[in-house]
């Protein structure tokens, strides 16, 4: 049976391509999700992609993944730096997590240097642009097979 991976994107990532292109690039969220599905399928995964601007919706998706999904790739956007609730939900899900940031958050404002999600992530990818999502999926191929 093939493993399912969830690719979750948090607030404002629906604006990719329009939002601060010098920081986040010109690709749209649809481009990124299509790339994740392609890379995941090539590696034998079923990939489900979701984006929300609502924290409770994100938490519900994480809970519903428990026991069903083999890995979570998450770009929590600004919730990275603020959300104890998403941190707790990821622990409750008991699923390996890879945290992705398009930008190099460590090169940016000090408030982006702390992540509640990193505390529960297997690893963090930051500053590789949207290629970071592909790197995370490739890493799950190593972890899960
Ligand atoms: C981001 C970095 C966060 O600090 C920011 O709030 C985002 C995107 C990134 O992908 O680089 O929304 O997670």
């Amino acid at each position: 049976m093939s493993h399912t991976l969830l690719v979750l994107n948090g607030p404002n990532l629906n604006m990719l391509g329009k939002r601060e292109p010098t920081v986040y690039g010109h690709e749209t969220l649809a481009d990124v999700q299509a790339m994740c599905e392609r890379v995941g399928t090539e590696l034998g995964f079923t990939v489900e992609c979701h984006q929300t601007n609502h924290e409770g919706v994100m938490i519900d998706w994480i809970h519903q993944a428990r026991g069903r999904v083999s890995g979570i790739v998450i770009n929590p956007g600004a919730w990275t730096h603020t959300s104890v609730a998403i941190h707790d939900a990821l622990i409750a899900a008991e699923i390996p997590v890879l945290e992705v940031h398009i930008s190099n958050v460590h090169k940016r404002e000090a408030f982006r240097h702390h992540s509640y999600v990193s505390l529960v992530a297997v690893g963090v990818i930051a500053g590789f642009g949207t290629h970071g999502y592909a790197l995370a999926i490739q890493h799950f191929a190593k972890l899960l097979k």
Side-chain angles (χ1 to χ4, degrees):
M1 206 187 72
S2 96
H3 287 288
T4 298
L5 297 183
L6 264 190
V7 177
L8 299 177
N9 279 286
N12 300 307
L13 290 159
N14 56 311
M15 299 295 286
L16 276 182
K18 297 184 188 127
R19 170 194 188 203
E20 299 180 79
T22 53
V23 177
Y24 298 113
H26 292 277
E27 276 177 281
T28 65
L29 181 65
D31 294 332
V32 172
Q33 291 179 331
M35 179 270 288
C36 288
E37 280 162 20
R38 192 178 63 248
V39 171
T41 304
E42 280 167 13
L43 292 166
F45 292 119
T46 301
V47 177
E48 292 177 16
C49 298
H50 301 292
Q51 184 277 332
T52 181
N53 295 319
H54 304 277
E55 192 172 358
V57 171
M58 179 65 88
I59 290 167
D60 288 343
W61 286 337
I62 294 169
H63 291 171
Q64 287 156 14
R66 190 186 151 104
R68 190 181 72 80
V69 162
S70 304
I72 296 178
V73 175
I74 185 167
N75 182 346
W79 294 328
T80 308
H81 320 297
T82 62
S83 182
V84 176
I86 288 176
H87 162 279
D88 287 352
L90 290 167
I91 293 175
E94 295 184 356
I95 300 167
V97 174
L98 294 177
E99 177 182 348
V100 172
H101 299 286
I102 297 167
S103 66
N104 179 357
V105 284
H106 299 290
K107 215 171 146 185
R108 301 180 64 194
E109 302 96 322
F111 66 81
R112 296 186 204 276
H113 297 176
H114 176 262
S115 167
Y116 285 100
V117 172
S118 298
L119 294 166
V120 302
V122 174
V124 183
I125 295 167
F128 290 77
T130 55
H131 184 55
Y133 294 87
L135 294 173
I137 292 168
Q138 283 162 0
H139 191 65
F140 268 125
K142 272 200 153 189
L143 276 184
L144 297 173
K145 289 184 179 166

